[in-house]
Amino acid sequence: MQHDEHRDLSKVDRNFEPYEPYRPVPLLLIAVACSLAIWGALTYIDNLTTAEQFVSRITPVSAEPVMPAAELAEGLGNASPETLTLVQAGRDHVWSCASCHGAAGEGTATTPRLAGQLSDYLLKQLVDFRDGTRDNAHMIYVAKALDEDEMHELANYYAQIRLPSRVGPRLDGDLERGRQITHEGDWKRNVPACVQCHGSGAEGVEPSFPVLAGQQPEYTFSQLAQWHAGARGNSPQQLMDKISQAMTPEDMRAVADYLATLPLDGAPASQIQ
Amino acid sequence: MSANFKNTGFGSALRRFGMAGAIGLVLFVIGVTLFYSDSFQRLAAAVGTDVDLPDAPGAEVAQANRAAMHAASAAWAKDVQVAAPHIPVGIDGFFAPPTDDEIPDGPFGEAVLRGRDIFNNTPKFAAQYSGNSQSCVNCHLDAGRKVFSAPLWGAYPKYPMYRGKNKKVNTFQDRMHGCFTYSMNAPASPAGGPPPLGDQVYLDLEAYAFWLADGTPAGQTLPGAGYPKVAKTELGYDYERGAKVYAANCALCHSADGQGHIEAAGNVRFPPLWGPEAYNWGAGMARIDTATSFIKYNMPLSQGQTLTDQEAWDVASYINSFERPADPRQVGTLEDARQTFHKDEQSYYGKEVRGKIIGHGVSRTTVAAE
């Protein structure tokens, strides 16, 4: 019978080993892993030393007492009570603008100065944060809690604040190189002069080109770096993406520091044509 | 079973790992060598991938090459047996013109500085002869240095030159006379016309151009000179298609009405493209093919060569489909002027656009009266 044939134990292979035999990991695979590990370790050490050098180069902030920005600013009360509440106290779980950007919108380090910024530009950024076309966890959280009218009012409020520049170079950038990029550009790298679009004193050009003069240098640098790395993508026509990608980190530091030296009183800096 | 584990003792594993480590190190070294050798960049270039420019600031490389040129030039003057100087180039491979810190002291340097000022802000520094809101630098970007934007270092060594436009041999001053007449619309200026030949304005601009051309071989056409021609497209050009290209790529700066942006202090931030403050109908830029070349290679600013040829033709035709100051050569009827001066060119001069013959011209007063 066919059944019996199948049960014929004499046909069973007695040497059959049901477990996978041990096979050593191929030598080349370990070798590749080793080379990657060497690469990784060296990159890590390299980054570590660069970061240390960078931190050590940053000029320590002066310990002298400075007058609070709110005492020098004009226009801090020029908004509806609702808007001022958003600015100063926030709403529900959403924190106030002033809690990060300062009592007069003066900003600090990588938190940008808002005082005197173009209204249209500020509004576009709020909308972009809300719509997810500009990335920043804090600002997305805040912008989603605002309606369009509130965005308009906040943008108008910060645009009308008058506050002298409160920053200077802090990134140890090459100021002469920064001046060159700001006023002449580096066309061999396809980098136009900042002032060509942002105004002859980098004072901003309505409606799309924001004020750069007197901005926190850390913020300017961080934004250039984000465009350079593709982390910020809401510049119209990708203008700043491509310009930043053509810039070296040294150039970004130089230009961020130089822009921080420019005055905000409308008086053009020297060398402006 | 035990046979399978015969060679897997701890010592053997360590030996294997040591060997793998050694091979890994060799692999790493080979990789690093390959990465830093030219072959990697050549491969990338061969498959058409962009290779990053060297990290050194563009200006630094250019200045080093210029210094080398000056040194070689001085050595060659003393001894003709040493190598003659090379044309100094920048990281992009094109001619490296001098930077402003190379402007010499003394009367010549002062002329260069005056010329630079006129070049960059013509309405302010040559107010007497300026009839609109245009400056030389609007079409010759980077203060007359940028490649493919008719750089002065490309133009200056080509003069004197025969030009079909006026059918005579033109000096560099004759050429600038044309720029003032048409691009700066000098007939509408306080002086009522361009500076007379020999005027200080020309001397200063010529000093600036001559200085920018330091290191170029006279008479030679350098790469990057002029505006490269853009091939005609199958579809031809169409200002209605161009309107869409304009809205998407140009209006951000030049504004939807083409009037650009002029700062409160009077500085022209973004130049007007048509209307009374633009170049007149006799300017080279009023020809669609010339405007196409300029736009294709230079616009949007810092994004040259990103528009397609078709987009460049269409948007150039859109910009040149509006009224601008009249051609100063017109004495009789518009049709006479078209036959005499605009017959074989690509322009809308004397032709019907949006149901109206254009080319009559607009002036500040006619626009103000409207």
Side-chain angles (χ1 to χ4, degrees), chain B residues 351-364:
Chain B
K351 292 176 192 159
E352 192 178 315
V353 173
R354 299 181 194 92
K356 221 175 135 186
I357 301 283
I358 59 168
H360 296 283
V362 281
S363 69
R364 285 165 171 170

Side-chain angles (χ1 to χ4, degrees), chain B residues 94-145:
Chain B
F94 290 96
F95 174 71
T99 57
D100 283 3
D101 15 300
E102 286 180 57
I103 297 176
D105 292 329
F108 176 71
E110 284 160 21
V112 171
L113 283 170
R114 287 195 302 271
R116 185 194 67 176
D117 287 344
I118 296 168
F119 194 87
N120 289 333
N121 195 340
T122 316
K124 184 173 172 188
F125 292 102
Q128 193 65 10
Y129 303 109
S130 161
N132 58 19
S133 294
Q134 305 295 318
S135 290
C136 311
V137 72
N138 293 160
C139 299
H140 309 275
L141 301 176
D142 191 17
R145 289 184 178 89

Side-chain angles (χ1 to χ4, degrees), chain B residues 27-307:
Chain B
L27 280 177
F28 176 74
V29 170
I30 292 172
V32 167
T33 320
L34 268 178
F35 183 78
Y36 284 105
S37 71
D38 284 353
S39 53
F40 184 77
Q41 300 208 340
R42 261 191 241 125
L43 190 74
V47 296
T49 316
D50 277 344
V51 177
D52 281 348
L53 290 171
D55 262 359
E60 250 169 53
V61 174
Q63 269 167 313
N65 287 344
R66 290 194 58 78
M69 180 268 296
H70 283 131
S73 188
W76 193 41
K78 275 189 198 140
D79 177 8
V80 290
Q81 297 309 313
V82 304
H86 291 293
I87 298 172
V89 296
I91 50 171
D92 54 358
F94 290 96
F95 174 71
T99 57
D100 283 3
D101 15 300
E102 286 180 57
I103 297 176
D105 292 329
F108 176 71
E110 284 160 21
V112 171
L113 283 170
R114 287 195 302 271
R116 185 194 67 176
D117 287 344
I118 296 168
F119 194 87
N120 289 333
N121 195 340
T122 316
K124 184 173 172 188
F125 292 102
Q128 193 65 10
Y129 303 109
S130 161
N132 58 19
S133 294
Q134 305 295 318
S135 290
C136 311
V137 72
N138 293 160
C139 299
H140 309 275
L141 301 176
D142 191 17
R145 289 184 178 89
K146 188 184 171 295
V147 297
F148 300 140
S149 158
L152 291 189
W153 49 259
Y156 184 82
K158 299 295 285 180
Y159 283 84
M161 176 204 278
Y162 176 81
R163 296 190 75 222
K165 188 165 182 168
N166 52 16
K167 298 189 175 55
K168 62 168 189 163
V169 172
N170 287 233
T171 63
F172 196 66
Q173 281 203 22
D174 288 324
R175 183 68 184 86
M176 290 188 286
H177 186 273
C179 294
F180 273 96
T181 308
Y182 307 112
S183 299
M184 275 61 173
N185 195 33
S189 70
L197 292 179
D199 192 273
Q200 191 64 38
V201 166
Y202 293 134
L203 299 180
D204 293 341
L205 283 169
E206 195 161 6
Y208 181 57
F210 166 77
W211 171 78
L212 276 178
D214 176 49
T216 60
Q220 302 304 304
T221 301
L222 296 178
Y227 304 124
K229 287 213 179 326
V230 178
K232 283 184 187 166
T233 56
E234 248 176 66
L235 284 176
Y237 52 80
D238 177 84
Y239 59 80
E240 280 171 9
R241 278 199 306 265
K244 295 190 192 96
V245 181
Y246 184 88
N249 298 285
C250 318
L252 180 73
C253 294
H254 294 285
S255 81
D257 63 3
Q259 297 313 294
H261 181 91
I262 295 171
E263 292 176 355
N267 293 323
V268 177
R269 191 46 41 222
F270 306 122
L273 302 180
W274 60 82
E277 297 301 323
Y279 48 91
N280 70 34
W281 276 110
M285 206 52 83
R287 291 196 309 264
I288 293 162
D289 48 346
T290 305
T292 299
S293 294
F294 173 78
I295 291 165
K296 168 81 186 179
Y297 283 88
N298 297 290
M299 289 288 135
L301 197 72
S302 81
Q303 296 186 353
Q305 302 187 61
T306 57
L307 296 178

Side-chain angles (χ1 to χ4, degrees), chain A residues 22 25 27 30-31 35 38-39 42 177 186-190 192 195-196 199-200 208-209 237-239 248 273, chain B residues 8 16 20 24-25 28 54-58 92 94-95 120 142 248-249 252-253 263 267 269-270 301-303:
Chain A
Y22 173 82
V25 181
L27 198 64
I30 309 176
S35 68
I38 297 169
W39 182 23
L42 289 179
R177 174 73 181 149
D186 185 348
W187 278 102
K188 289 284 184 203
R189 303 190 76 90
N190 217 18
V195 301
Q196 196 129 25
S200 44
S208 307
F209 298 97
Q237 295 175 219
Q238 289 188 300
L239 283 165
T248 65
Q273 289 142 12
Chain B
T8 57
R16 276 174 52 81
L25 195 66
F28 176 74
D55 262 359
D92 54 358
F94 290 96
F95 174 71
N120 289 333
D142 191 17
N249 298 285
L252 180 73
C253 294
E263 292 176 355
N267 293 323
R269 191 46 41 222
F270 306 122
L301 197 72
S302 81
Q303 296 186 353

